[in-house]
């Protein structure tokens, strides 16, 4: 029972730290990918060509959306979240210098301007667990603890875990909006254009009919002709 509870706890924790926009939109795209084409084909008022076009467009749109939300958004988040967080701490360090609350030669300033991006990500995603601690160095763990100590002394600086998760969600929202408004319609239209070109080429291609052998007309053959031929054949045999 304990193992089961641990598994459930890990699933809930993972979903709780990963409930970004692309998860909801990807589920919606998968749902529409199945049911919208089905609804289109069930429309009795539409012509065959209208159904075919709507079916193609719906399938391509939701297919591209599903791939984009799962693939592109994930890549964008993983590539930009940690660097943006590191930039945030650098800017905060500069502000503290201007306010004479921090010395440029201090260890705090060096830490804020040299964030360990891998440690920041692992800490924010709850991967500093006992069973997986061996994956990370002691220096990374100490780096995060020192950063959290700075945050306690300077309340205006955001907690590293909160900053990472908030930034990740913001990038997720922005990526989904950009994909929905620009990239997905563009790719869908291009694919439909290519498919229509291929279809028009196939329709305009001349039809090649197989050549048939020349037909011969058989003349009617009477029984009397058959008997005469047999007689002639028999006489030819006996006269040899």
């Amino acid at each position: 029972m304990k193992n089961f509870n641990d598994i459930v706890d890990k699933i809930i924790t993972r979903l709780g730290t990963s409930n970004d926009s692309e998860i909801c939109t990807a589920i919606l795209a998968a749902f529409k990918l199945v049911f919208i084409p089905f609804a289109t084909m069930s429309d009795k008022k539409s012509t065959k060509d209208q159904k075919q076009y709507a079916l193609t467009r719906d399938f391509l749109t939701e297919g591209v959306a599903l791939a984009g939300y799962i693939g592109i958004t994930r890549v964008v988040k993983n590539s930009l979240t940690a660097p943006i967080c590191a930039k945030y701490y650098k800017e905060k360090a500069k502000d503290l210098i201007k306010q004479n609350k921090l010395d440029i030669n201090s260890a705090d300033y060096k830490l804020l301007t040299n964030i360990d991006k891998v440690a920041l990500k692992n800490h924010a995603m709850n991967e500093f667990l006992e069973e997986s601690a061996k994956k990370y160095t002691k220096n990374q763990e100490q780096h995060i603890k020192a950063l959290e100590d700075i945050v306690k002394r300077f309340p205006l600086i955001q907690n590293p875990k909160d900053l990472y998760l908030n930034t990740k969600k913001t990038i997720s929202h922005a990526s989904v909006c950009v994909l929905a408004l620009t990239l997905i319609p563009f790719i869908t239209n291009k694919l439909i254009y290519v498919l229509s070109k291929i279809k028009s080429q196939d329709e305009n291609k001349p039809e090649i009919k197989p050549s048939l052998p020349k037909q011969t007309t058989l003349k009617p053959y009477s029984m009397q002709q058959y008997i005469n031929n047999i007689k002639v054949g028999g006489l030819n045999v006996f006269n040899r």
Side-chain angles (χ1 to χ4, degrees):
M1 189 67 181
K2 182 180 178 181
N3 292 335
F4 176 77
N5 291 336
D6 290 341
I7 293 173
V8 172
D9 182 63
K10 289 178 183 178
I11 293 174
I12 294 174
T13 300
R14 176 62 63 183
L15 291 176
T17 55
S18 303
N19 57 345
D20 300 333
S21 300
E22 75 273 9
I23 295 178
C24 180
T25 49
I27 293 173
L28 181 61
F31 182 86
K32 292 168 69 177
L33 182 64
V34 175
F35 289 100
I36 288 186
F38 177 78
T40 300
M41 295 303 294
S42 303
D43 186 5
K44 296 180 180 180
K45 295 181 180 180
S46 301
T47 64
K48 183 179 179 181
D49 291 338
Q50 289 174 336
K51 287 182 179 181
Q52 186 175 3
Y53 175 79
L55 186 66
T56 302
R57 188 169 190 85
D58 293 337
F59 186 82
L60 288 176
T61 300
E62 303 309 328
V64 172
L66 183 60
Y69 293 146
I70 294 176
I72 297 176
T73 303
R74 181 180 179 85
V75 171
V76 171
K77 285 192 311 180
N78 291 339
S79 302
L80 297 182
T81 303
I84 290 175
C85 292
K87 180 68 174 177
Y88 166 85
Y89 285 119
K90 286 183 180 181
E91 294 300 321
K92 286 297 181 182
K94 293 178 181 179
D95 292 340
L96 292 173
I97 291 291
K98 293 177 181 179
Q99 298 172 15
N100 295 322
K101 294 181 179 180
L102 198 65
D103 184 74
I104 196 171
N105 296 318
S106 65
D108 290 345
Y109 180 82
K110 292 179 181 179
L111 178 63
L112 289 173
T113 54
N114 293 279
I115 296 296
D116 189 328
K117 299 181 182 66
V118 176
L120 180 66
K121 177 182 177 181
N122 292 337
H123 174 71
M125 300 305 293
N126 289 330
E127 291 183 351
F128 271 117
L129 305 175
E130 292 181 2
E131 62 268 21
S132 60
K134 59 184 179 181
K135 296 180 182 179
Y136 314 110
T137 65
K138 193 69 177 177
N139 289 336
Q140 288 178 333
E141 192 172 0
Q142 291 175 349
H143 182 89
I144 291 297
K145 289 180 178 179
L147 182 57
E148 289 180 330
D149 181 65
I150 295 175
V151 171
K152 291 177 182 178
R153 288 187 280 113
F154 300 100
L156 294 176
I157 301 178
Q158 196 169 352
N159 181 277
K161 181 175 181 178
D162 294 338
L163 174 67
Y164 188 92
L165 295 178
N166 291 336
T167 304
K168 183 168 72 76
K169 286 180 173 59
T170 302
I171 293 174
S172 173
H173 301 332
S175 178
V176 166
C177 289
V178 171
L179 287 173
L181 295 174
T182 59
L183 194 59
I184 292 173
F186 175 78
I187 294 177
T188 302
N189 290 334
K190 286 296 182 182
L191 289 175
I192 291 176
Y193 175 77
V194 172
L195 291 176
S196 64
K197 281 289 186 182
I198 295 174
K199 183 179 178 181
S200 62
Q201 289 176 359
D202 291 339
E203 292 176 349
N204 295 330
K205 192 177 294 184
E207 184 179 358
I208 301 175
K209 296 182 178 180
S211 57
L212 298 175
K214 186 177 181 181
Q215 296 181 353
T216 57
T217 304
L218 297 177
K219 297 180 179 180
Y221 196 69
S222 65
M223 181 60 69
Q224 187 60 43
Q225 288 176 320
Y226 178 73
I227 295 171
N228 293 336
N229 287 338
I230 291 175
K231 290 180 179 180
V232 173
L235 290 174
N236 289 336
V237 172
F238 288 115
N239 289 332
R240 287 180 180 178

